[in-house]
Structure formats: C-alpha cells, structure tokens
Amino acid sequence: MSGLYLTQHEMTAIKAIDNREVERCVEQALDEGRPTALYGLQLSGSCPHIATHLHRYERDLANYAKAKAANKRSETRSRAWSSGRDLVYAIRDMKRLAEEQEKEVQLFQINDLIAPPHYFRERIEVRVGYQWRATVEAVWTFGTITFFHNVDLSPDYTRPQQTRKLSAKKLEEQRQETLFEHWDHLRMLSLHSVRDFLKSGGDGSTIPKEYQAKPGRSDRHLNNFSCDFWGKSDAVREFVRVEPAAISVDGPSDEWSSDGRLKLQGRVKHAKFGEGIIIHINADKVTTDFGERGPKIVLASFLEYLNK
C-alpha cells in the first residue's frame, strides 16, 4: 500500500541530489553509451519514482549501445535522450515535492499508515486521523474522520461471467479480495480528500466526524470526487464560501511572495478554486480573491502565476 508522504530517508536522499550534476552525468552517459557516470549519484536508493526512471534510462542506453545500423542507432539514441530528460524532470519533481512536504507538515499532518481489517464486510470503512493548526505558532488540533461505503457485490453482467462453479471457500476468497480492492481504493481517496482540503486552506475544525463516500452517477464505483466531504456539510460549506471579513491579514502586504514568483494584484490560478487576484502577501502565505468562491489564504507554491 502506498501513502501520502515521502519517508525521512527519501527526503534526505532527494535533497542531497544536485540537479546540475545530474544533468551533466545524464549527458555524459549518453555520449559514452553507458550509465557509468550516474553510479556515483546514488539515484537508485533515493525513491521508487526516481529509481523507475533511472532503470528506463539504463535500459535505453543499453539498447543504444547494442545498435549497429545507422538508422537503429539514431532511433535508440533519440529514445535514450528522451528517457534521460524524463529522469532529470523526475528528480526535479521529487525535489519540489520534498520542499512542499516540508512546508506542508508545519501546518498539518495526516496519518497515512492505515491497516486493513482482518475481515471485510460489504460496508467498508477508513478512519483518517490528522493534526492541524492555522499558523506555525498555534497549538496542534487533532481530529479524525471516518469514510464509509456500502460495496455493491451483485453480479456485473456487462462483464464476462465465470462458467465453472467455484467452491464456497474459493468464492469467499474472491469476495475478500474484491472487498480489499474497494477498501484500498477508498483509503487513498479518503487520504487525498483530507489532504486536498487542508492544503487548499480548509479549516480543520470543520471536518465532519463521518462521511459516506458517493459512487459515480453512471456506475456503482467510487471516483476521484466520491470523498469530497466539504460540499455536503453546512459547517464545511464555510470553506467554499467565506465572507471577505472572515479573512484577516497580517500587517502591510509584501510586493512579491518569498519565492519571487507572485506579485501583489497579479492574476493566479489554483487547482481547486480557479482564477483569482492576489490581494495580500505575507512571505509564502498569499491571500487571493477567487470571486464567487471568496478570498482564501494559501501557500504560494500552490498558485500558478498567470500575469505575463
């Protein structure tokens, strides 16, 4: 099972990687037709995502080294060059994620180590624990939310049916495997739902104690929106629509965000709230007016600057 966060070992390994040295070694490996230049960077032990891209680059380098005909060498070199760039971009992405995680855990943390039950029933449940605070100086507040879903195990006649009759033991094994798959899917949807809510500036004190995950309208399975609890609770609806007076600003605004990307009165885009105008900046905390969705305080790293 996968979780939300990089481990401390992964964080340390990713932060130790030098982007410029990686680019130099990737180019050298391509020129030499072998990955020897990359061995000293210890990329394979950093994290699975980087290790996967490293393996692909090594594979494509090997194919390039074995190619003899001119057109085959050109083709395999192009493929190796592409996978090398993918490796560079994967490392950049993971370094960015590591930086975001360091900032994120200062304001909220979610327990993503959730063990499955020993026996599954049609009603599956996932209990997500979290701690949250409005500012880094505030005291931590702890809470939990339980997501539940009633799995529909009736036969799906749109798919091929088994013709051989199975024993009761085998049927129960298949039933438990199916329910585990549904539970694990609910687990990840639940974790990401709580995380998205808190990352977007949601008030952790308004998270409900329980929420029933909603299947899609066109089928009986859960989708990426099934655990979006904030659209159903009156208490949580304040997160979606908030009066401007409810947003307090901390002194005069900075002209630019601390990362130098966002400018006061600039247009930005947020993954959940859409486009808005920056109305106050305090280092990396940016207050943005999202029109009908109201003003929100979010971290600068979660905003895309639209002004040219």
Side-chain angles (χ1 to χ4, degrees), residues 214-270:
K214 307 297 184 184
R217 293 182 179 180
S218 59
D219 57 33
R220 57 192 182 186
H221 301 294
L222 301 180
N223 56 41
N224 291 340
F225 305 101
S226 295
C227 292
D228 289 355
F229 55 87
W230 50 86
K232 304 298 181 182
S233 168
D234 289 337
V236 180
R237 197 165 293 132
E238 297 174 6
F239 160 69
V240 180
R241 287 194 181 92
V242 61
E243 296 300 324
I247 297 290
S248 60
V249 295
D250 185 17
S253 175
D254 299 331
E255 186 69 17
W256 293 88
S257 59
S258 55
D259 61 7
R261 294 188 310 108
L262 310 180
K263 191 177 188 300
L264 188 64
Q265 297 299 318
R267 291 178 61 250
V268 292
K269 184 177 181 179
H270 187 273

Side-chain angles (χ1 to χ4, degrees), residues 155-174:
D156 185 355
Y157 293 107
T158 63
R159 299 182 178 181
Q161 302 297 303
Q162 291 181 341
T163 56
R164 187 165 63 93
K165 187 175 182 180
L166 302 177
S167 66
K169 180 180 178 181
K170 188 63 178 179
L171 286 172
E172 178 59 22
E173 289 177 353
Q174 288 189 353

Side-chain angles (χ1 to χ4, degrees), residues 129-141:
Y130 60 91
Q131 59 187 75
W132 165 88
R133 57 186 177 182
T135 66
V136 293
E137 295 82 14
V139 177
W140 287 107
T141 299

Side-chain angles (χ1 to χ4, degrees), residues 89-106:
Y89 295 143
I91 292 171
R92 289 179 182 175
D93 288 342
M94 295 311 298
K95 290 180 77 69
R96 175 181 56 79
L97 287 176
E99 292 174 358
E100 291 180 357
Q101 181 172 313
E102 282 190 328
K103 296 178 181 179
E104 176 182 310
V105 297
Q106 296 181 45

Side-chain angles (χ1 to χ4, degrees), residues 7 10 12 24 30 43 107 110 120 125 142-143 149 181 202 227 232 245 256-257:
T7 66
E10 290 171 338
T12 301
R24 186 189 69 78
L30 183 61
L43 300 179
L107 296 178
I110 299 168
F120 289 97
E125 295 184 356
F142 297 82
H149 172 55
E181 292 174 358
C227 292
K232 304 298 181 182
W256 293 88
S257 59

